[in-house]
Amino acid sequence: MKKAVFYIGFWSLLVAGCSPQSTTVTSKAFHNTTAHFNGYWYAKEEITKIEKDNLKAHTDDYNEILLLYPPLDSTRAKGYDKEIQEAIKMASLAIQRHPNSNWVDDSYIMVGRARLLSLDWGNAIQTFKYVNTKSKNPDARHEAIIQLARTFTEHNEFNNAVAAFDFLEKEKLNKTNEKNFYLQRAHYFQKRKNYDYMVRNLTKAIPLLKKSDRRGRIYFIIGQVYQELGLEAEAFNFYKKTISTNPDYEIDFYARLYMAQVAEISRSRDLASARKSFRKLLKDSKNKDFRDKIYYEMGVFEFKQHNLKEAMANYALAVREGSNKLIDGEAYLRLGEIYYDTLKNFQLSQAYYDSAVSSLPTTHENYKAIQTRQKVLNEFVKNLNTIAWQDSLLVMAKMDTAALRKHIAVVLESQKKPEIKSKKTKKNRVAISEVNTAVNSEGSFDLPDWYFGNPTAVALGQTEFTRVWGSIPLADNWRRSTRASTATVRSQNNQTAGNQTAEATVTENVVVKDPVKVEFDRILKELPLTDSTVLIANKKIEDAYFNLGNIYYFDLKETDNAIKSYETLLTRYPSTTYRPETLYKLYLILKDTDPAKANQLATDLKKNYPESSYAKILVNPNYLQESGLVVEQQKMIYKKAYEHYEAGDLGSAAILIQEGLNLANSEFTPNLKLLSILLVGKTENIGQYQLRLEEFVKEFSGSDLAKYAQRLLDSSRAFTLQREKEKGIQYIPSLQEPHFFVLITEKKDGAEGVAARELENFNSANFNDRKLKVSNLILNETYTLTLVSDLSSFQPAKEYIKTFSEKRESLTGLKNYKFSYFVITKDNFDIFYRTKGIDEYTRFFEKNYTSQNP
């Protein structure tokens, strides 16, 4: 009986001690253990699993800088909603059942992370803010603010993210929080595409990283950023560090690949070593799935060394070796750029641009510009083909039937590839350095006689085949769009009594048509055999030459070829309806390089076409403006220039805008000028952009365009301010410059007039010989500034502020107002006025003016 009473009493005391409200040592130990290893631990396991699954589901694009964190996706979030709810449930149990434990703050943070992963932005923010407000543990508060900054970053609330990071930067963080702070801030800068500040934060995180932080991946990302910034030696070092961490195979592979890409090439031995690294990667059987990427990077490497033929061969092999459409698209694009920019072979360039557009995703960074160039090249090739085909038809129309058939047979025979004898031979394994390919002066390949003996030729052939026909399985008669077949059913003669069905054999009889006859019939339908069809064919050629000239002149910037096209047009069709416009364009092209010939063209135009608008422009440069046609022409030019601007072809847009402005000063001129300013925003620094906008607002004050320009200016200034806040406002430490004395008062007090009068009196009494000027300026909605200018350097400025401080009590007019004051150089005042950073400059002032001399 006594034992029973004892046990009952013992267990009663134990249960009472484990009450959620109890604060005894036993109770604290129980609740800490239970909260940690039950609710919190299970919640953390669920969150960790979701984050690992997100990382696994994300496909890395190694052509871009890898993401520090996989993007959060609403579609995926729906898939793991059950796990999210379980995590919230377990963390909530730890909070509700163990309110006095040490794991309440951590459990709240788990709830916030779960809500962040489920894209429940509002509740995630509120949860992290709650921990920051209520927690007594500074480490928990810091962790909550770091997660809050991540939430703001993911939700594109960048101003709030910056504020959170600014607060944390001033706090003393433990090692884990410090590491996560740098990583999250690097993530923020990656989203803003500020790679300089991204890599600064990542390098600060390096000493704090643990093995579980996937150091190899972070080292690799740092290497990519340094490579992007052009710091190839640093990139090489971090790729090397990546390999030393024994990372995932894919990371290891790309680190070795990019090491070869950024290796310092100062001697031929270095060049050979880099190529050896590429060949070693190719030979490794583990890299079988990456051969296309290796060849692509080899192409990039050789192009950097100005080895054009090797670069082109490797790009072709990249397409041949793999099935990755993104790499195919990049390789097609590189080949298209070489033919366009270097070899000036626009026909071949068009073929590769066509393939690039079909292979690259529409999200590609320069997709619009690539697509625009493709469209220009398509139009170019279309006109070239029109000329060639219509000329051929005109020639063939003069042949008799027999001669035409013979001609077609010869052409078809010449297009056949030589027959390869069926012979089993060992496949040649030719190293990339042994590929013997040459690029001739016209930008085409000079290939060896035996086609299949040259892997480069084969690669180019396969590339072109894939471009035209797509991926087609190996099969007989693959090219036929239809197959004619007949089936005959033959019954067996000796049928048994029990047979109910007849056995049938289906035989396919392919109808093979004579290719010469097929081509002859096709061409015969198109031949211009009557006067009217001959006129139509010549009109097509005439239009094509004019269009070619325009494309060469305006789009391809090939003035020599434009001249040839225009002159061919005038030679072949002297009475063309395009003659006045063509003469005028030739005049514009030649007036600076060949004035004598340009004057002949102008004379021809004015003599033979005096009533054309082009002749009238030569006689009277203001003709279009006076006739009212200039506005319409400027609108057409503006439309084309804006299309180039949208596509990222800023050079073409600038040329067209200048052409429009040169026509005349019309009511449409402001539109062209504003578009020109938008180009400045893309091509020059932001200061020039803002200055041009200011000038535009003044020049066209009161107009709708001026109001729009003012909005652009306000937005640009706000952006500049935000960027400077992100980077930290940097004042110039050089103080031996002209200074202002600045007195700041609150705008609501209306004290600026009093301040100006008091300072004028003060100057008269103490610095009458200096001829100082006093003026007022509004800083923002809260403060106004009263400035004293013409303090020539640091010493006069320091003397002025010292005298003011000593005699400020004598300025009786200011006694009833709050104010602050300092001196500042003119350069620093520009920064101060732009950023409105009173606190930042106050700290700079105290450090540089009150504590030390420059």
Side-chain angles (χ1 to χ4, degrees):
M1 184 66 182
K2 288 181 180 180
K3 283 186 179 181
V5 171
F6 172 77
Y7 283 123
I8 291 170
F10 174 78
W11 285 109
S12 299
L13 288 170
L14 187 62
V15 171
C18 294
S19 167
Q21 287 74 35
S22 176
T23 58
T24 63
V25 175
T26 307
S27 176
K28 290 287 285 183
F30 170 78
H31 287 295
N32 283 337
T33 303
T34 309
H36 182 197
F37 293 106
N38 283 346
Y40 171 79
W41 189 84
Y42 283 113
K44 186 178 180 182
E45 284 293 297
E46 294 288 357
I47 296 297
T48 304
K49 179 178 178 297
I50 291 168
E51 289 178 337
K52 284 182 178 178
D53 288 346
N54 275 348
L55 189 64
K56 195 181 294 184
H58 174 67
T59 302
D60 286 318
D61 178 5
Y62 286 89
N63 290 319
E64 304 290 338
I65 294 171
L66 298 191
L67 299 177
L68 275 170
Y69 298 98
L72 299 180
D73 177 69
S74 57
T75 305
R76 276 197 54 75
K78 291 176 184 176
Y80 54 70
D81 182 65
K82 183 180 176 182
E83 288 83 356
I84 289 290
Q85 297 309 319
E86 183 66 18
I88 293 173
K89 176 186 172 183
M90 298 309 296
S92 299
L93 286 175
I95 295 166
Q96 294 163 7
R97 295 183 182 179
H98 312 286
N100 290 328
S101 76
N102 295 335
W103 295 92
V104 171
D105 295 336
D106 302 271
S107 297
Y108 270 118
I109 290 170
M110 282 298 149
V111 172
R113 286 175 64 183
R115 287 170 171 166
L116 167 60
L117 289 171
S118 65
L119 280 63
D120 185 0
W121 311 113
N123 283 322
I125 290 167
Q126 289 304 316
T127 304
F128 294 133
K129 283 184 175 180
Y130 177 84
V131 177
N132 180 44
T133 305
K134 299 295 183 181
S135 177
K136 296 177 182 178
N137 183 343
D139 292 338
R141 290 202 306 272
H142 294 154
E143 185 180 355
I145 297 172
I146 290 168
Q147 292 297 330
L148 180 64
R150 164 88 189 274
T151 308
F152 285 140
T153 301
E154 296 292 352
H155 198 223
N156 297 331
E157 295 183 39
F158 297 121
N159 291 343
N160 290 333
V162 170
F165 288 129
D166 287 347
F167 173 81
L168 287 167
E169 196 168 24
K170 300 168 189 173
E171 296 288 297
K172 184 172 177 58
L173 308 177
N174 65 28
K175 286 188 176 181
T176 301
N177 283 336
E178 186 179 4
K179 173 192 69 180
N180 290 331
F181 164 73
Y182 288 129
L183 291 177
Q184 292 296 347
R185 194 158 66 165
H187 172 57
Y188 161 81
F189 283 118
Q190 184 173 31
K191 285 205 71 168
R192 303 309 303 272
K193 298 191 183 300
N194 188 336
Y195 296 121
D196 183 15
Y197 278 83
M198 176 190 175
V199 80
R200 292 187 193 190
N201 282 276
L202 287 177
T203 50
K204 287 178 182 177
I206 287 174
L208 305 165
L209 294 174
K210 297 178 181 177
K211 192 173 182 180
S212 59
D213 293 317
R214 298 179 302 149
R215 287 177 301 172
R217 183 183 177 88
I218 291 175
Y219 291 156
F220 181 80
I221 291 172
I222 293 172
Q224 283 187 300
V225 176
Y226 276 131
Q227 188 174 354
E228 174 74 17
L229 296 174
L231 303 172
E232 296 193 342
E234 289 296 325
F236 183 90
N237 292 334
F238 273 96
Y239 289 140
K240 196 172 181 180
K241 277 187 178 184
T242 301
I243 296 168
S244 70
T245 64
N246 194 26
D248 294 340
Y249 183 74
E250 200 169 14
I251 292 279
D252 183 278
F253 163 75
Y254 279 102
R256 294 178 190 276
L257 183 62
Y258 292 158
M259 273 179 70
Q261 188 68 266
V262 299
E264 184 180 355
I265 306 299
S266 55
R267 298 166 297 177
S268 59
R269 188 168 61 187
D270 296 330
L271 200 62
S273 176
R275 287 179 176 140
K276 185 178 178 182
S277 298
F278 283 123
R279 289 198 298 271
K280 186 177 178 182
L281 288 169
L282 282 171
K283 288 178 182 178
D284 192 335
S285 60
K286 295 194 297 295
N287 296 336
K288 183 180 179 182
D289 293 337
F290 301 114
R291 289 173 67 84
D292 54 350
K293 181 63 176 176
I294 298 171
Y295 278 122
Y296 175 79
E297 292 299 332
M298 289 172 72
V300 174
F301 176 81
E302 295 296 350
F303 188 77
K304 282 168 64 178
Q305 311 311 316
H306 308 292
N307 298 323
L308 201 60
K309 62 180 181 180
E310 288 87 352
M312 296 173 75
N314 283 311
Y315 289 139
L317 288 167
V319 176
R320 172 192 173 188
E321 287 290 333
S323 57
N324 186 322
K325 284 197 74 176
L326 186 59
I327 295 174
D328 288 352
E330 293 285 356
Y332 284 134
L333 178 60
R334 294 276 188 163
L335 285 165
E337 288 173 341
I338 289 171
Y339 279 115
Y340 186 97
D341 297 317
T342 308
L343 301 178
K344 302 296 181 184
N345 188 326
F346 300 117
Q347 286 170 284
L348 279 175
S349 179
Q350 180 269 339
Y352 286 110
Y353 265 96
D354 206 34
S355 299
V357 167
S358 65
S359 299
L360 291 171
T362 55
T363 54
H364 188 278
E365 186 178 4
N366 297 316
Y367 188 82
K368 280 190 176 180
I370 296 166
Q371 194 176 45
T372 299
R373 182 173 282 188
Q374 176 225 11
K375 289 176 181 176
V376 169
L377 290 171
N378 283 350
E379 194 65 24
F380 172 82
V381 170
K382 174 186 166 186
N383 284 287
L384 271 184
N385 290 341
T386 296
I387 293 169
W389 181 240
Q390 295 301 324
D391 274 339
S392 298
L393 290 176
L394 288 170
V395 171
M396 289 187 289
K398 296 174 183 177
M399 297 179 180
D400 59 34
T401 303
L404 180 57
R405 283 182 181 276
K406 185 178 179 181
H407 173 71
I408 292 171
V410 170
V411 172
L412 289 177
E413 187 64 28
S414 68
Q415 290 177 350
K416 284 184 181 179
K417 286 188 172 69
E419 224 178 280
I420 307 297
K421 291 183 180 179
S422 178
K423 198 184 223 180
K424 289 186 179 179
T425 56
K426 188 176 179 180
K427 187 176 179 182
N428 293 327
R429 298 183 66 182
V430 184
I432 191 66
S433 60
E434 298 168 350
V435 174
N436 182 23
T437 309
V439 182
N440 65 27
S441 60
E442 296 183 1
S444 59
F445 282 95
D446 292 331
L447 301 172
D449 292 337
W450 189 48
Y451 176 81
F452 288 101
N454 187 335
T456 304
V458 174
L460 285 169
Q462 289 184 342
T463 301
E464 182 64 11
F465 180 90
T466 304
R467 186 188 71 77
V468 175
W469 296 100
S471 297
I472 294 177
L474 186 62
D476 291 335
N477 304 313
W478 60 268
R479 198 173 180 178
R480 293 184 186 279
S481 58
T482 61
R483 294 181 185 180
S485 62
T486 60
T488 60
V489 179
R490 294 179 300 172
S491 302
Q492 292 183 344
N493 294 327
N494 301 322
Q495 292 182 347
T496 61
N499 267 349
Q500 298 293 319
T501 58
E503 195 174 297
T505 302
V506 180
T507 305
E508 186 184 79
N509 298 314
V510 179
V511 177
V512 180
K513 294 183 180 179
D514 178 11
V516 175
K517 183 178 186 310
V518 171
E519 194 67 7
F520 177 82
D521 291 342
R522 184 181 73 83
I523 291 173
L524 192 62
K525 293 176 184 176
E526 296 188 45
L527 286 179
L529 300 173
T530 64
D531 291 344
S532 61
T533 53
V534 169
L535 285 173
I536 291 170
N538 276 300
K539 180 59 179 169
K540 288 179 180 178
I541 297 170
E542 181 184 338
D543 292 343
Y545 270 118
F546 181 74
N547 293 334
L548 268 183
N550 288 342
I551 292 170
Y552 273 127
Y553 184 27
F554 292 111
D555 295 307
L556 303 179
K557 310 298 181 295
E558 290 282 314
T559 53
D560 289 344
N561 284 322
I563 292 169
K564 288 178 185 175
S565 296
Y566 287 142
E567 287 182 341
T568 303
L569 170 65
L570 297 179
T571 302
R572 285 192 62 173
Y573 304 100
S575 301
T576 175
T577 54
Y578 297 118
R579 188 174 183 85
E581 186 175 351
T582 303
L583 289 171
Y584 181 68
K585 285 177 178 173
L586 283 170
Y587 165 80
L588 292 177
I589 295 170
L590 295 169
K591 66 178 182 178
D592 295 324
T593 56
D594 191 348
K597 190 171 182 180
N599 287 333
Q600 289 177 7
L601 293 166
T603 302
D604 184 355
L605 181 58
K606 288 184 281 188
K607 180 181 177 182
N608 296 309
Y609 304 95
E611 296 304 316
S612 70
S613 58
Y614 301 102
K616 291 177 179 178
I617 290 170
L618 290 178
V619 174
N620 176 16
N622 295 323
Y623 167 74
L624 288 176
Q625 184 180 5
E626 292 169 2
S627 66
L629 296 176
V630 68
V631 171
E632 293 306 314
Q633 193 161 350
Q634 283 180 327
K635 285 180 180 179
M636 291 174 64
I637 290 172
Y638 178 91
K639 182 181 178 183
K640 194 165 186 177
Y642 190 78
E643 287 172 357
H644 284 293
Y645 168 78
E646 283 262 280
D649 187 3
L650 305 181
S652 299
I655 291 170
L656 286 168
I657 290 169
Q658 194 56 50
E659 183 183 333
L661 290 172
N662 290 342
L663 287 175
N665 186 18
S666 72
E667 62 188 43
F668 195 75
T669 298
N671 299 72
L672 289 165
K673 285 190 174 181
L674 186 55
L675 183 56
S676 174
I677 293 170
L678 295 182
L679 289 184
V680 170
K682 295 275 189 181
T683 56
E684 298 184 29
N685 64 61
I686 200 164
Q688 282 294 316
Y689 174 62
Q690 292 175 356
L691 178 63
R692 292 283 301 276
L693 282 172
E694 285 178 4
E695 292 172 349
F696 184 89
V697 170
K698 289 177 184 175
E699 184 178 357
F700 301 103
S701 176
S703 68
D704 290 339
L705 279 178
K707 292 174 184 176
Y708 175 67
Q710 184 63 55
R711 290 198 296 273
L712 292 177
L713 180 59
D714 293 341
S715 297
S716 178
R717 285 172 173 167
F719 173 77
T720 305
L721 174 61
Q722 182 59 39
R723 287 296 298 273
E724 288 184 337
K725 283 185 176 179
E726 290 170 6
K727 296 178 182 178
I729 300 169
Q730 300 292 323
Y731 287 104
I732 302 167
S734 175
L735 306 180
Q736 297 297 346
E737 311 291 339
H739 278 63
F740 291 115
F741 171 83
V742 180
L743 189 143
I744 304 176
T745 56
E746 292 189 15
K747 190 177 179 182
K748 65 178 183 178
D749 294 337
E752 59 271 15
V754 176
R757 286 194 299 273
E758 289 291 337
L759 286 174
E760 284 174 353
N761 294 335
F762 173 80
N763 293 342
S764 298
N766 299 283
F767 300 96
N768 196 35
D769 58 328
R770 302 275 180 91
K771 297 182 180 179
L772 302 176
K773 298 175 184 176
V774 179
S775 58
N776 292 118
L777 188 65
I778 295 173
L779 179 65
N780 53 30
E781 293 180 357
T782 307
Y783 297 106
T784 57
L785 309 177
T786 304
L787 308 177
V788 176
S789 55
D790 294 340
L791 297 168
S792 58
S793 64
F794 173 79
Q795 286 303 334
K798 194 163 186 182
E799 181 188 350
Y800 187 95
I801 196 169
K802 181 182 178 184
T803 305
F804 182 86
S805 299
E806 292 170 351
K807 299 186 177 183
R808 59 179 290 184
E809 295 300 324
S810 65
L811 305 176
T812 55
L814 292 173
K815 281 186 177 180
N816 296 324
Y817 299 103
K818 289 181 180 180
F819 63 89
S820 58
Y821 57 93
F822 49 76
V823 290
I824 184 170
T825 64
K826 287 188 175 182
D827 289 339
N828 281 335
F829 182 79
D830 290 341
I831 299 171
F832 167 76
Y833 186 73
R834 188 169 64 247
T835 61
K836 322 296 183 190
I838 297 175
D839 293 339
E840 289 80 1
Y841 185 75
T842 301
R843 288 194 292 272
F844 177 86
F845 173 76
E846 290 172 352
K847 178 181 177 182
N848 291 278
Y849 288 88
T850 61
S851 61
Q852 61 182 350
N853 291 332

